[in-house]
Amino acid sequence: MKKILTGPKSVVKKTAGFLLTATLFASLIPAMASAADRGAWAASTSYAVGDTVTYSGKSYQVVQPHTSLNGWEPPNVPALWKEVQGGGTVDNQAPTAPTGLKVSGTTTSTSITVAWNPSTDNVGVTGYDIYRDATLVGSVSGSTLTYTNTGLTPNTAYSYTVKAKDAAGNVSAASSALSVTTLPTSGGSDTQAPTAPGNLTATGSTTSSVSLSWSAATDNVGVAQYEVYSNGALAQTVTGLTATVTGLSADTSYTFTVKAKDAAGNVSPASAAVTARTQPTGGGGGQLPKHIVTGYWQNFVNGAKNLKLSEVPAEYDIIAVSFAEMDRSKPGGVTFGIDPDLSKALGGYSNADLINDIKAKKAQGKKVILSIGGEKGNIDLSSASPNVSNFVSTMSSLITEYGFDGLDVDLEHGFNVPNLTTAVRQIQAKVGSGFILTMAPQTIDMQNNQTSYIQFYNNVKDITTVINTQFYNSGCMLGRDGKCYSQGTVDFLTALTDLAIQWVQPSHLGIGVPATSSAAGGGYVSASVVNNALNCLATGNSCGSYKPVAKYPDIRGAMTWSINWDGMNGYSFAKTVKPFLSQLP
């Protein structure tokens, strides 16, 4: 639904129709309380949870209420539809068990605070139940990953577990148990601090974490816990001899120390410091800034500003040329060349001119890639042979001929995950380590970890540069907290990005928005709102009503459809968002 290839009048008409659909959707949700057999699936139809339809000889049941659109056929959007085989409930899949249960903050004589990593679910986690010695002691929302248990007895050991639950009442298995002892009451006779932990070592790192281990400290009574410090600030508290510090920035050095603490609250001197560096972002991103701006350059005429590639402002780090076309004479093959209407509008802009402009942009440190798909485009990779080999050979030839750095996957009508994975891997092997791979899934494609895009990402995350979700033409979508957020708001951008971060690392995620209200059927926000969303996700500031469960300083950046539409507005998007990204941590 991203690229509107018609003129301004058609854009207005499409926008009005979309808004009408969205209004009907919003007004019907409260009334659609009972499920029904709705017959054959149809576009522009409102469906309630539990409704059943038939499509291509199969039965499907609604997972989320929505108004259907072309391209949202049941097999394409498992976030909305679940195939029914011999009956069954709408959602009978339990969330995964929470992991990483640990002590968070300071344990006192009467309280213990625990924290954990988020669970995942096919629809969405709505809450967590906290158990102490197998007894339920508290519950929190799905966006909260910490709990403080008060009213405890001093100098007493307790065991904690956590379970996740979803809106359908499915409950996960329990997390691994965590044993914690409260501190004794003040005035005890133990005043001797433990010795400093020894042999602190960095055992591994990712783009956003460093793993540590150390030797045990000794104490006249006993060591109760260890405090891990990152650049002098307390990062976490653990009871064992290992820890993984998360939420770090990519390609950045950090200094760590560890202190031991006994049950009386005596704290040891710090261990010897160790310095470790997080990994750089993958997917050819080593020559790119940590935070990047991506824009699409239109190879067609549709009412937006007609541009030569040389006219693209320097604020754009990645330029996605749109689009390669399906070669209907060669299954799986693609073709590309300057659109004749665009060439004429630009006074005879040629393929040779574009090749020279790409070379000049690359000399300036920019990345130029070729996009496949779009609102109306598709690539036929339904068969492994000859489709995959045709796609690899034609795409590789185009990359070589024009000097592209890689490709963008913007397939909006479904795709064969194994075949696309094989094809992209083969192309990457031909291009080499500088290969750039980006994706532009629709909002619906990022609603759970079973979608085609998430499966594809899991196969190619090591060569992925960024996934820019199209946060527009979406209507109302579920955020991480299970609530439905309307497009065109800062909460929509943050809540849905927070949802996707359960499956995609922050350094691979970007916010995609239309450059102007004319560029899409709905979801436009000003560049300042984009900055607020990025700030909220990276630092926890400038948020709306939705608060992300954590801070993500590695958030990759932002994308707009399109550079041409941005040109109609004086490049407000690029000139507002790029300077802001440059000053993020």
Side-chain angles (χ1 to χ4, degrees):
M1 297 298 295
K2 179 171 66 182
K3 288 87 181 180
I4 298 174
L5 308 184
T6 55
K9 291 184 179 179
S10 297
V11 171
V12 173
K13 182 177 179 180
K14 186 168 184 176
T15 303
F18 183 87
L19 292 175
L20 176 60
T21 299
T23 302
L24 287 172
F25 171 34
S27 64
L28 285 170
I29 288 176
M32 297 190 294
S34 59
D37 183 355
R38 306 295 296 279
W41 178 89
S44 302
T45 302
S46 296
Y47 291 105
V49 171
D51 281 355
T52 56
V53 299
T54 57
Y55 184 84
S56 296
K58 296 182 179 181
S59 296
Y60 295 87
Q61 198 166 41
V62 175
V63 176
Q64 297 182 42
H66 67 282
T67 296
S68 58
L69 298 173
N70 287 319
W72 289 13
E73 291 81 0
N76 294 340
V77 281
L80 298 180
W81 296 97
K82 178 179 181 179
E83 185 177 347
V84 178
Q85 297 176 332
T89 59
V90 174
D91 178 14
N92 56 14
Q93 181 175 328
T96 60
T99 59
L101 186 61
K102 61 187 178 184
V103 175
S104 176
T106 302
T107 297
T108 71
S109 60
T110 59
S111 70
I112 293 172
T113 299
V114 295
W116 56 91
N117 298 326
S119 299
T120 61
D121 185 65
N122 62 318
V123 177
V125 175
T126 58
Y128 295 92
D129 291 332
I130 298 87
Y131 293 82
R132 184 190 69 223
D133 298 329
T135 299
L136 180 65
V137 293
S139 300
V140 296
S141 71
S143 61
T144 302
L145 299 175
T146 184
Y147 176 78
T148 299
N149 188 200
T150 59
L152 305 178
T153 301
N155 201 26
T156 302
Y158 295 95
S159 179
Y160 291 89
T161 56
V162 179
K163 296 180 180 179
K165 55 189 178 183
D166 62 21
N170 302 304
V171 180
S172 76
S175 68
S176 299
L178 172 68
S179 181
V180 189
T181 300
T182 52
L183 297 177
T185 55
S186 59
S189 58
D190 182 11
T191 59
Q192 182 175 331
T195 61
N199 301 317
L200 179 61
T201 304
T203 57
S205 66
T206 69
T207 57
S208 60
S209 68
V210 171
S211 297
L212 305 166
S213 68
W214 57 89
S215 301
T218 60
D219 185 66
N220 63 318
V221 176
V223 175
Q225 57 194 33
Y226 293 90
E227 296 177 338
V228 182
Y229 291 82
S230 173
N231 290 346
L234 179 63
Q236 60 178 268
T237 302
V238 299
T239 56
L241 299 177
T242 62
T244 298
V245 181
T246 60
L248 306 178
S249 298
D251 200 19
T252 303
S253 292
Y254 291 87
T255 300
F256 301 94
T257 56
V258 177
K259 297 179 181 180
K261 189 174 185 178
D262 64 21
N266 301 304
V267 179
S268 77
S271 67
V274 63
T275 298
R277 191 175 190 87
T278 52
Q279 296 293 319
T281 53
Q287 298 179 35
L288 288 166
K290 177 180 177 181
H291 305 292
I292 56 177
V293 174
T294 303
Y296 286 80
W297 178 80
Q298 297 180 187
N299 182 37
F300 49 83
V301 176
N302 74 335
K305 187 179 180 68
N306 297 319
L307 293 173
K308 297 178 181 179
L309 197 79
S310 59
E311 299 176 83
V312 174
E315 284 80 4
Y316 285 99
D317 300 296
I318 297 179
I319 304 167
V321 172
S322 313
F323 296 95
E325 302 287 343
M326 179 189 295
D327 186 344
R328 300 189 182 278
S329 67
K330 184 182 294 185
V334 294
T335 63
F336 176 79
I338 290 294
D339 177 76
D341 290 337
L342 178 63
S343 175
K344 181 178 180 181
L346 293 175
Y349 194 54
S350 66
N351 291 341
D353 292 329
L354 177 62
I355 291 171
N356 288 331
D357 286 350
I358 291 174
K359 183 178 181 180
K361 284 295 180 185
K362 292 174 65 172
Q364 297 165 12
K366 308 304 177 183
K367 303 296 182 180
V368 186
I369 59 179
L370 182 58
S371 182
I372 57 173
E375 179 193 8
K376 299 182 178 180
N378 198 15
I379 304 299
D380 181 11
L381 294 178
S382 58
S383 174
S385 178
N387 301 49
V388 169
S389 60
N390 285 341
F391 178 72
V392 172
S393 62
T394 54
M395 177 59 76
S396 298
S397 294
L398 290 171
I399 289 175
T400 300
E401 177 183 358
Y402 285 85
F404 292 116
D405 293 291
L407 64 92
D408 168 68
V409 177
D410 185 13
L411 298 171
E412 301 181 8
H413 304 289
F415 54 85
N416 184 299
V417 173
N419 288 348
L420 183 61
T421 300
T422 299
V424 169
R425 284 284 184 190
Q426 291 182 22
I427 294 169
Q428 187 273 337
K430 291 175 179 290
V431 174
S433 60
F435 178 74
I436 299 291
L437 173 63
T438 69
M439 307 177 210
Q442 299 173 102
T443 312
I444 193 67
D445 296 318
M446 302 294 282
Q447 281 278 285
N448 67 62
N449 62 353
Q450 299 301 312
T451 68
S452 296
Y453 267 96
I454 298 299
Q455 293 176 48
F456 177 59
Y457 168 73
N458 287 333
N459 293 342
V460 296
K461 66 173 63 176
D462 60 307
I463 58 172
T464 296
T465 302
V466 65
I467 300 176
N468 293 302
T469 306
Q470 298 179 40
F471 286 128
Y472 44 98
N473 294 346
S474 305
C476 186
M477 288 285 171
L478 297 183
R480 185 163 178 168
D481 56 0
K483 296 179 180 178
C484 202
Y485 290 91
S486 297
Q487 63 181 355
T489 64
V490 67
D491 286 338
F492 186 86
L493 302 178
T494 55
L496 273 76
T497 300
D498 206 14
L499 174 74
I501 281 173
Q502 295 177 99
W503 314 299
V504 179
Q505 61 192 56
S507 60
H508 284 164
L509 273 178
I511 293 173
V513 297
T516 70
S517 58
S518 298
Y524 169 74
V525 295
S526 68
S528 62
V529 173
V530 175
N531 285 353
N532 286 341
L534 291 167
N535 197 26
C536 176
L537 292 163
T539 71
N541 300 314
S542 304
C543 301
S545 62
Y546 181 83
K547 309 295 182 185
V549 301
K551 298 175 184 177
Y552 310 112
D554 289 351
I555 195 74
R556 196 65 162 121
M559 171 274 281
T560 194
W561 176 264
S562 64
I563 299 171
N564 304 69
W565 283 110
D566 196 21
M568 300 291 286
N569 197 27
Y571 301 107
S572 175
F573 176 87
K575 293 184 180 299
T576 302
V577 175
K578 178 60 178 179
F580 181 79
L581 285 173
S582 298
Q583 57 87 42
L584 278 181

